[in-house]
Amino acid sequence: MKHPFPFSAIVGQDEMKQAMILTAIDPSIGGVLVFGDRGTGKSTAVRALAALLPPIMAVDGCPVNSAKAADVPDWAMLETKKLVEMPTPVIDLPLGATEDRVTGALDIEKALTKGEKAFQPGLLARANRGYLYIDEVNLLEDHIVDLLLDVAQSGENVVEREGLSIRHAARFVLVGSGNPEEGELRPQLLDRFGLSVEVTSPKDIATRVEVIKRRDAFENDNTAFMLRWQAEDAAIRDGILTARKALAQLKTPEKTLHDVAELCLALGSDGLRGELTLLKAARAYAAWRNDTALTRGHVKDMAPMALRHRLRRDPLDEAGSGTRVARIVEETLG
Amino acid sequence: MAEAVWHRAVLAMQLLAIDPALGGVSVRARSGPVRDRLVSLLTWLPEPHHRIHPAISDEALFGGLDLSATLATGHFVQEQGLLSRSGTVILTMAERAATQLAARLAVVLDAGATHRLIALDEGAEPDEALNPKLAERLAFAVDLSGVSVTEAALPDSVDLAAAITHLRQVAVPDDICEQLTRIAAQFGIDSLRAPLFALRAAKAHAALCGKMTVDADDVEIACVLTLAHRATQMPSSDEEEQDAPEPDQTDSDDQDQTDTLDLPDELLLEAIKALLPDNLLDRIAAQKARQGKGSGSGAARKGNRRGRPMPPRPGRLGDGARLDIVATLRAAAPWQTIRKQATGRDGLQVRSDDIRVKRFEEKSDRLLVFTVDASGSSALSRLAEAKGAIELLLAQAYARRDHVALVSFRGTEAEVLLPPTRSLVQTKRRLAALPGGGGTPLAAGIVAALEQAVTATRKGLTPTIVILTDGRANVALDGAGNRVQAAADAQRMAQVVRAQRIDALVIDTGNRPEPALSALAQTLGAIYLPLPRADAARLSASVATALGD
């Protein structure tokens, strides 16, 4: 298989890259939604992220990538419970996926050959403790969306079909990308994404030329190009690991909490998810930048990403919600 | 001219054969000898060739259960999908490909230079075109509609194998990259795939000619082949062009003034239009139409667009029921051991009570075709209120996930401002930019709305036509200012709408209820809402009630 385009080699699109790094630092932020025009490198960035993520320890052969032997579900019927290192799973949810494939279903092969009723885990099981990537998320069939909403919320996949009754852990970071021209996303699904970024194609010629050159180099001599960017990718990976450790020590002053709450109140975002995500994102951002305490600056920088998709939607508002957030941030936090 | 087109088409095929990363070619032509001749050139492209059609199922594309093998062996046998091996995919009737299929093919094309796609687009109307998602990922687009057989000479054979091996050695001078990017930007092409394709095409062309470095010739040909069809503006006179696509945008800021300040606006618009070359405007319009078509993931699938596959249930075959093979096998599976023991036979044993049939829940989406009278009489009195009311209705439509189309009529003709879409921001923008003034060609408005409604019905939507007018039709279908003829035409068109069994709603926005409109509503079999002096909120409330929400 060809290597994906290296993450560090992506020109510009800083907000998108930042958002992805933040979810890698703190998966509980809850995923990224990337909306933008055609040909802006949305899919490229997500696929690049997979190569960048630090490996995880999981029980060998466990269908849900359990971290401890005790977490392995009974139906997996594993012999050994040895821990092995494996890459963080990044699972593609293709648009055409059927419900069976997403949630898992009766294992036909076992049923046919052995007459056994066994469970064949689906994509949600494989994505546990990793990432679930949906390209063209706004074109996803409604019934699959319903399914995802429930699982993303509860962190557990419950399968009740064909006489099977099975539940397993399914905690994953949702990453979605799409082109808003082709259809909008239901607010319920929007809310499940922690951060949202909007990408546009770079406007100045120099940047565009650089994109073209790197892409061409990548396609011409894959190995050399990967080698060239290996160090940079590794630096980001190390940064993520350092930030994960630093996150625990990070101080959150009362004043900043106040800022966050005030901001969300001013924006009128629904529920408390906005506050929580903004706080988590700001903390991860501070850790990534090697700061020891959370400040108003961090909150200000993260507000557009964390809140832009949570505003009470006015479908007829022409100004982008990003602008609205920026304006209110300026008004409240100065 | 036509020979040059054919020559470019042949060249595109050759370049594609040399470099698979070019994605493919979109060929717009009706089925005929010219297209057949081009298709015969496909032998240049690597095997296997798969012909697929827009209604192809995911199982056929990506693989699934191989029923006959599974039944014969009693093992689960996975069938290979058409896309599981690299090769050349020929998509016939490409203009009918729905967004869902386009998205799947796009993923395959993105995954790497393994597949080449030849999209045979037979679209007859400008808005029937290849899905933009796919068009974006194909380097070339050729339109063979003007080429006759005599002009389509079969090319001399070239040594493609040599060119393929040579491709890796072709060097690209640094400034070529910059030049291509700049040219693409000047043509208003946002996507970065375009200059990339141009670069690869230039290299492939250099390889074809046996050159070691890309030179000006290659660049020129590459630009013609890959960039021309993507252009959204003419280069070098930037200012006007950037304003052109949405000339009336300033309107939206001062809603109150729209009904009084329209004429100068219109003059301005005409002045800007005159500065633009004709074909570019056409092209932008066509692109807009295409975008509209693709939005909301609308299009194609009939009836059960939102149809959720219901759980399969036990049933009999026949009566058009579709067998759910997987579910049937699942139902039979647990019994296999027992049945084998009972009958002493080997192999899969399926009994009639294992049969499961597929069920779908059908629910078709609603489409509201707003048909707005923007004539002088309307404009003076009520256009602002009508706009306001539509905006409120749009917000409701959004909440219900309805599709919306916008048709306006004034002067001598009607205009489709927005084909069915779910993008309400776009709708609002077009509505705000709607200028007023001129006569009332009511019949033309109904015809345009009817066309939208009929097309939507074919796509499985349930259309409702909402006509907002003050009712004094004074321009006949042929554009003549004849009050009597105009009224008769409107009545006639209303009968056609009724014959098509399309729901309608007539809102009289005049200061006094207009008897002619009441009669029109009767002909339409529609609800008639005279709303003199109603403000936007009341207007929308009445409409919502009439629509039964």
Side-chain angles (χ1 to χ4, degrees):
Chain A
M1 204 199 108
K2 213 163 125 181
H3 291 284
F5 194 79
F7 192 79
S8 46
I10 296 170
V11 186
Q13 313 294 19
D14 294 323
E15 196 188 13
M16 171 169 69
K17 287 197 282 189
Q18 181 72 69
M20 290 191 183
I21 290 173
L22 293 183
T23 59
I25 294 172
D26 182 2
S28 69
I29 290 174
V32 188
L33 176 68
V34 186
F35 254 9
D37 304 332
R38 285 182 276 275
T40 44
K42 299 181 298 267
S43 325
T44 312
V46 179
R47 291 182 205 287
L49 180 73
L52 194 70
L53 294 166
I56 57 170
M57 296 300 289
V59 176
D60 192 13
C62 175
V64 295
N65 315 317
S66 309
K68 295 194 299 276
D71 293 345
V72 178
D74 302 338
W75 48 263
M77 290 185 281
L78 287 186
E79 311 275 304
T80 60
K81 302 218 165 159
K82 197 170 54 159
L83 283 179
V84 289
E85 193 180 86
M86 63 177 281
T88 302
V90 176
I91 305 299
D92 249 307
L93 193 145
L95 278 185
T98 56
E99 218 174 299
D100 302 19
R101 259 190 82 195
V102 177
T103 60
L106 185 74
D107 186 336
I108 306 183
E109 179 161 9
K110 278 210 181 114
L112 282 179
T113 53
K114 298 187 191 148
E116 262 173 32
K117 197 153 87 177
F119 177 65
Q120 185 175 38
L123 296 173
L124 292 179
R126 284 170 52 205
N128 190 29
R129 300 182 64 209
Y131 283 70
L132 187 70
Y133 173 47
I134 314 168
D135 195 10
E136 314 289 358
V137 59
N138 45 348
L139 301 180
L140 201 63
E141 301 282 348
D142 274 353
H143 66 278
I144 303 280
V145 172
D146 297 342
L147 230 151
L148 278 178
L149 287 179
D150 187 43
V151 178
Q153 178 60 39
S154 62
E156 189 179 45
N157 178 28
V158 182
V159 185
E160 297 281 358
R161 51 189 300 162
E162 286 126 7
L164 292 165
S165 176
I166 277 179
R167 51 184 62 210
H168 66 75
R171 295 183 189 284
F172 47 83
V173 176
L174 261 186
V175 180
S177 66
N179 180 350
E181 262 176 32
E182 288 158 354
E184 287 160 24
L185 219 55
R186 282 168 39 194
Q188 294 90 330
L189 185 58
L190 269 179
D191 196 41
R192 298 298 198 276
F193 288 98
L195 307 174
S196 103
V197 288
E198 283 159 21
V199 290
T200 49
S201 31
K203 293 283 175 242
D204 72 304
I205 297 290
T207 320
R208 294 178 71 105
V209 171
E210 189 57 31
V211 174
I212 303 294
K213 278 186 180 162
R214 287 195 193 169
R215 187 82 214 183
D216 189 50
F218 170 72
E219 274 165 22
N220 275 341
D221 194 345
N222 200 282
T223 342
F225 192 77
M226 296 310 290
L227 221 57
R228 152 85 181 75
W229 291 97
Q230 209 172 35
E232 262 105 316
D233 261 11
I236 297 182
R237 193 177 304 126
D238 291 345
I240 291 174
L241 288 173
T242 323
R244 274 188 190 171
K245 285 201 198 86
L247 203 56
Q249 266 90 51
L250 194 75
K251 288 187 200 67
T252 311
E254 195 72 18
K255 193 160 62 68
T256 323
L257 285 180
H258 196 80
D259 282 348
V260 170
E262 202 178 336
L263 188 62
C264 290
L265 215 58
L267 277 166
S269 66
D270 291 337
L272 282 171
R273 217 191 297 256
E275 267 105 324
L276 286 173
T277 314
L278 176 55
L279 187 64
K280 280 179 184 164
R283 282 174 56 90
Y285 180 58
W288 169 250
R289 298 187 28 166
N290 289 325
D291 295 332
T292 48
L294 196 62
T295 64
R296 178 174 278 193
H298 297 135
V299 174
K300 267 168 79 173
D301 286 351
M302 287 300 107
M305 240 186 241
L307 299 177
R308 148 188 310 144
H309 56 297
R310 288 175 210 281
L311 301 187
R312 179 69 55 81
R313 273 184 73 100
D314 177 359
L316 305 175
D317 184 16
E318 280 178 42
S321 38
T323 342
R324 260 165 78 196
V325 174
R327 201 176 56 221
I328 295 184
V329 167
E330 213 42 56
E331 280 167 13
T332 0
L333 303 183
Chain B
M1 186 59 201
E3 271 164 20
V5 172
W6 172 254
H7 178 69
R8 280 205 295 275
V10 172
L11 197 57
M13 285 295 202
Q14 286 170 339
L15 299 185
L16 183 64
I18 294 170
D19 188 355
L22 287 167
V25 184
S26 133
V27 181
R28 192 172 173 90
R30 306 301 285 272
S31 167
V34 180
R35 199 185 81 175
D36 288 349
R37 198 162 283 182
L38 192 71
V39 170
S40 74
L41 300 181
L42 288 178
T43 45
W44 289 340
L45 303 178
E47 301 278 337
H49 291 183
H50 296 297
R51 261 185 119 88
I52 63 172
H53 55 89
I56 191 162
S57 71
D58 285 347
E59 272 154 36
L61 278 181
F62 298 109
L65 178 80
D66 184 340
L67 182 68
S68 49
T70 303
L71 286 178
T73 59
H75 290 276
F76 178 65
V77 180
Q78 180 99 23
E79 184 183 26
Q80 289 244 306
L82 294 179
L83 299 181
S84 53
R85 281 185 301 148
S86 61
T88 306
V89 179
I90 302 150
L91 175 64
T92 56
M93 306 291 289
E95 78 282 2
R96 304 275 302 161
T99 315
Q100 299 285 338
L101 175 67
R104 286 165 178 71
L105 290 174
V107 169
V108 172
L109 288 174
D110 275 356
T114 51
H115 290 78
R116 293 170 172 89
L117 179 71
I118 312 295
L120 299 176
D121 172 1
E122 288 189 35
E125 305 293 325
D127 67 334
E128 286 179 327
L130 184 62
N131 190 295
K133 191 184 286 299
L134 269 184
E136 155 86 15
R137 286 169 170 84
L138 305 181
F140 310 112
V142 291
D143 188 341
L144 297 180
S145 41
V147 182
S148 72
V149 190
T150 47
E151 289 157 329
L154 275 175
D156 305 329
S157 67
V158 283
D159 191 354
L160 289 171
I164 292 169
T165 42
H166 186 61
L167 179 66
R168 293 195 66 83
Q169 290 143 29
V170 176
V172 186
D174 255 5
D175 55 332
I176 299 247
C177 271
E178 280 160 43
Q179 194 187 4
L180 286 171
T181 318
R182 224 169 30 238
I183 294 174
Q186 276 181 359
F187 273 104
I189 306 171
D190 252 2
S191 166
L192 282 166
R193 282 203 184 89
L196 261 175
F197 279 140
L199 180 62
R200 300 203 76 90
K203 279 168 78 173
H205 189 259
L208 184 67
C209 303
K211 285 181 268 195
M212 290 311 285
T213 46
V214 173
D215 63 19
D217 270 357
D218 304 322
V219 171
E220 191 192 328
I221 287 171
C223 286
V224 169
L225 283 175
T226 59
L227 299 183
H229 59 279
R230 293 170 208 264
T232 59
Q233 66 179 32
M234 292 301 279
S236 78
S237 51
D238 313 297
E239 298 239 327
E240 285 113 354
E241 265 78 27
Q242 289 190 348
D243 289 339
E246 272 150 8
D248 289 11
Q249 211 169 24
T250 41
D251 259 16
S252 52
D253 299 326
D254 41 20
Q255 278 277 318
D256 299 335
Q257 298 176 6
T258 38
D259 37 0
T260 50
L261 285 180
D262 280 326
L263 207 63
D265 238 7
E266 199 183 1
L267 287 176
L268 194 66
L269 189 140
E270 285 306 321
I272 295 171
K273 261 188 185 167
L275 284 175
L276 287 170
D278 284 352
N279 59 348
L280 183 70
L281 269 188
D282 287 352
R283 210 184 295 154
I284 292 171
Q287 274 164 357
K288 285 258 161 70
R290 254 175 256 169
Q291 280 170 8
K293 206 175 178 188
S295 70
S297 77
R301 272 168 307 151
K302 258 190 177 145
N304 53 354
R305 208 196 66 77
R306 266 186 180 171
R308 183 188 176 286
M310 310 263 285
R313 68 159 188 223
R316 276 163 190 284
L317 287 177
D319 294 339
R322 283 171 62 196
L323 175 69
D324 189 331
I325 295 165
V326 176
T328 305
L329 287 176
R330 280 210 186 99
W335 304 100
Q336 292 308 304
T337 329
I338 300 174
R339 285 181 193 166
K340 253 174 226 160
Q341 285 162 2
T343 59
R345 270 194 303 125
D346 267 353
L348 184 71
Q349 300 181 28
V350 177
R351 298 191 182 165
S352 60
D353 52 353
D354 297 330
I355 300 286
R356 298 287 184 275
V357 291
K358 282 185 181 168
R359 293 188 301 156
F360 292 95
E361 184 182 54
E362 283 199 347
K363 199 201 277 174
S364 65
D365 289 359
R366 187 161 65 180
L367 166 71
L368 296 179
V369 186
F370 286 106
T371 313
V372 184
D373 181 355
S375 66
S377 58
S378 249
L380 283 175
S381 54
R382 308 299 304 278
L383 190 56
E385 271 102 332
K387 282 182 181 180
I390 295 176
E391 275 182 22
L392 289 172
L393 285 171
L394 283 176
Q396 289 171 12
Y398 174 81
R400 285 190 311 260
R401 315 288 293 162
D402 283 345
H403 298 243
V404 178
L406 192 58
V407 175
S408 88
F409 55 96
R410 67 194 195 98
T412 55
E413 54 185 16
E415 189 188 357
V416 178
L417 292 178
L418 197 70
T421 176
R422 268 183 183 167
S423 168
L424 296 187
V425 177
Q426 254 196 65
T427 317
K428 192 195 162 195
R429 213 172 275 161
R430 298 286 168 85
L431 185 67
L434 170 66
T440 311
L442 182 55
I446 298 177
V447 172
L450 179 66
E451 274 167 16
Q452 292 299 317
V454 170
T455 325
T457 317
R458 280 197 217 115
K459 289 177 189 165
L461 300 170
T462 314
T464 302
I465 298 177
V466 181
I467 303 173
L468 289 100
T469 176
D470 61 356
R472 285 172 283 266
N474 57 18
V475 178
L477 261 186
D478 55 10
N482 180 339
R483 207 169 272 273
V484 181
Q485 184 60 39
D489 280 352
Q491 283 289 341
R492 206 157 42 100
M493 286 309 124
Q495 280 161 5
V496 178
V497 173
R498 179 151 203 188
Q500 299 269 2
R501 292 167 189 275
I502 290 166
D503 287 340
L505 182 63
V506 178
I507 301 173
D508 187 345
T509 56
N511 287 330
R512 262 167 279 124
E514 172 73 35
L517 270 187
S518 168
L520 182 78
Q522 237 169 25
T523 321
L524 278 168
I527 302 166
Y528 170 67
L529 288 176
L531 293 172
R533 284 178 229 295
D535 59 8
R538 265 186 59 205
L539 202 60
S540 92
S542 321
V543 175
T545 321
L547 286 173
D549 296 303

